[in-house]
Amino acid sequence: MKGLYCRAGVSDAEPRFIIQETTLPDVLDQHQVRVQVKACGLSPLDLKLLSDVGIQRDLIPVGREVAGVVLQVGPKVTFFQPDDEVVGILPLDSPCSGLCDIIDVDEHYLVQKPEKLSSVSVAGALRDGLCAYTALHTHARISAGHTLLVMDGASPFGLLCIQLACYHGVKVLTTSHSPQKHTFLEQLRPSVGVQDPLVARVIPVYNGSDLLPVVLEETGGLGVDIVVDSGVRLHEEEEEESEEKKLLPHKHDIISVLGVGGHWVTAHQDLQLDPPDCRSLYLKSANVSFLNPEVWTASSAQQGRYLHILKDIVEKMSTGILRPQPEEAVPLYEATVAMETVQRHPKKKAVVQL
């Protein structure tokens, strides 16, 4: 049986991804489920996070968002039976690669997959759905009437944030990073006579549009209740910055568009706030939350809540409330190249069909 693994590079060297033979134990643990994998989503590896939580291996399993069919259950498993279709995210310390034909996983990391939901679509979107749910519900506690600014709304994560927010009656503003993405997001705006738009305004930051005047115009000068970013710039533009980084908002821009009592959910793990930044947040009684979806599987403190979130995500995907952009599945022999692309470009997605 073959799986995809990462051999971390020395110092700043890029990690290498390799296909490796592996085996499973003959006997399942008490609460384990043996699953035949049908599809696996690929997301970038955070090697620094793995090191921080004490996970150090020569070969790190790759591919954690899985969808498949239960083959066998342990003696104390109560949630599943053989032939059940399941979906879930393997924990950080899982010894199994999600690209193996068959994996063993604890039942508390899986939920039932609705029959009409394809394995490829749910494996490709589950992580982004969890991120969107965590950002909007767990951190920002969205409710009807709020105004939300989603940075780069055409990204897989941004799109699910928009759809989830609109389901709850939130007014959404978003930014676009290219003419093609702008056209796509404009299609989510309301037609004449439509009362419930998906997106109230698309801000084309790729052509130099400023956030602040547009946001103030849309909110009557009050600012937004919630900002969800996909990364920020801490300093002014530098010559060596990539085009992608130049499109990220500056931290001052985000603080400026927040309204009183606003909430900023950031994916920037090394965010630095200077005293003037903190003063601005204090004056607005605003707060900052860090989006790290790995905490759900790194700790069992809120496992019941985590399973409820996963179940709600797949149900919303099944009913069409969440409609991720479809990903073209790649075969296992292309998984190494696909993972290298995902690792270099974290906003890209890839799904392997087994």
Side-chain angles (χ1 to χ4, degrees), residues 116-315:
K116 65 179 182 179
L117 188 61
S118 79
S119 297
V120 170
S121 63
V122 70
L126 188 62
R127 180 183 174 84
D128 288 318
L130 178 63
C131 288
Y133 208 110
T134 304
L136 298 183
H137 283 288
T138 308
H139 290 312
R141 303 190 182 279
I142 60 168
S143 61
H146 278 162
T147 303
L148 166 70
L149 173 61
V150 178
M151 312 306 296
D152 191 13
S155 67
F157 164 64
L159 180 60
L160 292 184
C161 280
I162 290 172
Q163 293 170 350
L164 186 60
C166 291
Y167 171 74
H168 290 286
V170 173
K171 179 180 178 180
V172 178
L173 314 177
T174 189
T175 62
S176 57
H177 285 193
S178 71
Q180 294 79 15
K181 290 182 176 182
H182 188 83
T183 301
F184 169 74
L185 290 169
E186 282 288 346
Q187 295 171 358
L188 303 179
R189 296 194 63 212
S191 303
V192 177
V194 175
Q195 298 299 315
D196 298 315
L198 268 181
V199 176
R201 186 77 174 263
V202 182
I203 307 168
V205 295
Y206 63 88
N207 66 7
S209 295
D210 289 331
L211 276 178
L212 185 58
V214 179
V215 169
L216 293 181
E217 177 187 342
E218 285 291 331
T219 60
L222 298 177
V224 295
D225 300 296
I226 305 161
V227 177
V228 178
D229 71 40
S230 53
V232 296
R233 284 186 295 113
L234 301 181
H235 310 287
E236 297 301 328
E237 289 189 17
E238 299 176 3
E239 292 183 4
E240 297 181 358
E241 278 186 334
S242 66
E243 288 301 319
E244 187 175 337
K245 284 189 176 180
K246 288 180 180 179
L247 293 173
L248 294 176
H250 194 279
K251 59 181 179 179
H252 299 315
D253 297 332
I254 292 182
I255 294 173
S256 298
V257 301
L258 277 175
V260 172
H263 200 120
W264 174 13
V265 182
T266 180
H268 196 104
Q269 55 185 281
D270 298 319
L271 180 68
Q272 299 175 18
L273 295 178
D274 300 320
D277 303 326
C278 295
R279 180 65 182 175
S280 296
L281 290 169
Y282 166 77
L283 291 174
K284 296 182 178 187
S285 191
N287 56 70
V288 182
S289 294
F290 290 88
L291 179 60
N292 176 17
E294 301 297 354
V295 296
W296 294 113
T297 57
S299 169
S300 58
Q302 300 189 51
Q303 203 151 34
R305 188 178 184 187
Y306 169 60
L307 290 178
H308 172 78
I309 290 172
L310 287 188
K311 185 176 180 180
D312 198 40
I313 291 168
V314 297
E315 286 179 352

